[in-house]
């Protein structure tokens, strides 16, 4: 049973490391995109795609707040009927 406990602990550590590696690689990719002068819409699309992949979701929307008009505008959407 000690071997099983160690195997479970190792699996948990591996999952944590895999998650951290993914987070760091996404941050690195995002940094490359931001310095390449992509438009806000392109960045929004990229972020939405990565978040949906990470969550295993098929649809989502990113909104931007227009402070002057006090309304939300869609920056990027996927899987949402227009």
């Amino acid at each position: 049973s000690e071997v099983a406990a160690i195997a479970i602990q190792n699996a948990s550590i591996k999952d944590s490391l895999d998650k951290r590696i993914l987070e760091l690689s996404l941050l690195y990719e995002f940094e490359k995109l931001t310095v390449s002068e992509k438009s806000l819409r392109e960045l929004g699309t990229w972020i939405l795609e990565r978040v949906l992949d990470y969550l295993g979701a098929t649809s989502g929307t990113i909104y931007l707040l227009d402070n002057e008009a006090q309304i939300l505008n869609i920056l990027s959407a996927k899987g949402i009927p227009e």
Side-chain angles (χ1 to χ4, degrees):
S1 77
E2 186 176 325
V3 173
I6 291 171
I8 291 170
Q9 183 179 16
N10 286 344
S12 176
I13 291 169
K14 184 187 179 315
D15 287 346
S16 294
L17 287 173
D18 288 345
K19 180 179 176 184
R20 186 67 179 144
I21 289 168
L22 175 62
E23 291 169 352
L24 290 172
S25 67
L26 289 174
L27 284 172
Y28 177 71
E29 283 184 58
F30 181 73
E31 188 270 337
K32 285 191 333 188
L33 282 173
T34 57
V35 297
S36 68
E37 300 181 18
K38 297 288 184 186
S39 71
L40 188 56
R41 186 159 307 278
E42 288 173 303
L43 290 173
T45 299
W46 182 88
I47 291 169
L48 181 61
E49 288 290 331
R50 297 317 172 280
V51 169
L52 293 178
D53 286 345
Y54 182 75
L55 296 175
T58 58
S59 62
T61 307
I62 296 177
Y63 294 92
L64 286 179
L65 174 64
D66 180 333
N67 281 323
E68 288 183 21
Q70 289 296 301
I71 59 171
L72 292 173
N73 294 308
I74 293 175
L75 175 64
S76 182
K78 181 178 179 185
I80 306 292
E82 294 198 26

